Amino acid sequence: MSAIHVQPIGYALGAKVTGVDLSKTLGADEVSQIKAAWTKHLVLVFPGQDLDPETLIAFTRHFGELDDYASQPFNRHPGHDEVMLLSNKPIDGKLPPGANNGQNWHTDLSYTTRPAKGTMVYCIEKPSVGGDTMFANMYLAYESLSPKLRAFLDDTEAVHDVSLISARRDPAIMEAFKRLNPPVVHPAVREHPDAHRRALYVNDRVRTFVGMSDAESKPIIQFLCQHSVQPRFVYRHRWEVRDLVLWDNRCLTHLAVGDYDPREFRHMIRTSTMGDYHGRLENPEAAKAAQAALKAAAATSQDIVAGISSLHD
Ligand code: SIN
């Protein structure tokens, strides 16, 4: 009998999971207990784990096919395309591109046609204070809206635009992000396939609603963004070194709090699983042109990385 223990750590979402060693091959019973806890609590914190990129990848495979971060090759861990570096630790004397990732409310990879299902982040180093991650329960955000607004959102699609991924990014990195990720359309509300609950899928990276003007869309988007991250819907995770945190992008938004001393290191590695749901490009013709231009310029991921590095010089 497995000794997995699940203890809620937030009212809106979040649970701590102990009694399992994620560096070892997990049994089917352990995986199904973790999946059940994940569906119930949305965010799972596994303290005191000993992981490296290989064992993190192996653990992630239990939850689906890994994303290879082709949407942002410059953020990849050297040697592991499926691992993202969330780190301000200099590489060759330069700040890595992922140093300020995720500092507005978002759900992972919603600027792609195949947004992430799960995300796993493992903490290797942390600043002495700050650098937390906040998570908001988007089931509660949706369920607490009036029936009229819910009905409107049930029938609405939103445009997610990578140019809204937040300030504090290098302009060269932003240009590469935009070239690789033309705007995409997703429903404003998504039903979770396991929980069978509907969740708001609107966050700071939504530019407009399909079939509505920006002037009409923006006040509603702004309202939803404020509404969905009220403290009563939020769990704030204070990282400890060796925490592995697993979250569900289909029913929450999250934000990396950039409130720490930049002379201290916040060094983490991340994997994501690809979702089963596919969205569509807002403008397929413009997207094709962007992809063709990218190929014509022979802008492979290595070229993009090299281009960004030279701009940093
Ligand atoms: C992310 O959005 O994946 C980054 C989360 C974090 O660094 O806290």
Side-chain angles (χ1 to χ4, degrees), residues 136-146 150 153 197-202 223-224 227-230 232-233 251 253:
N137 182 325
M138 298 298 268
Y139 296 132
L140 297 180
Y142 174 74
E143 289 160 2
S144 56
L145 294 169
S146 66
R150 286 206 302 265
L153 292 166
R197 282 173 83 181
R198 296 176 76 72
L200 184 65
Y201 201 68
V202 173
F223 163 73
L224 293 171
H227 165 82
S228 60
V229 300
Q230 298 173 52
R232 67 189 171 120
F233 301 150
C251 51
T253 57

Side-chain angles (χ1 to χ4, degrees), residues 86 101-102 106 108 132-133 239 247 254 256 266 270:
L86 297 170
N101 276 9
H106 67 285
D108 289 327
D132 299 347
T133 305
W239 291 91
W247 65 80
H254 61 282
R266 185 181 192 270
R270 174 185 129 167

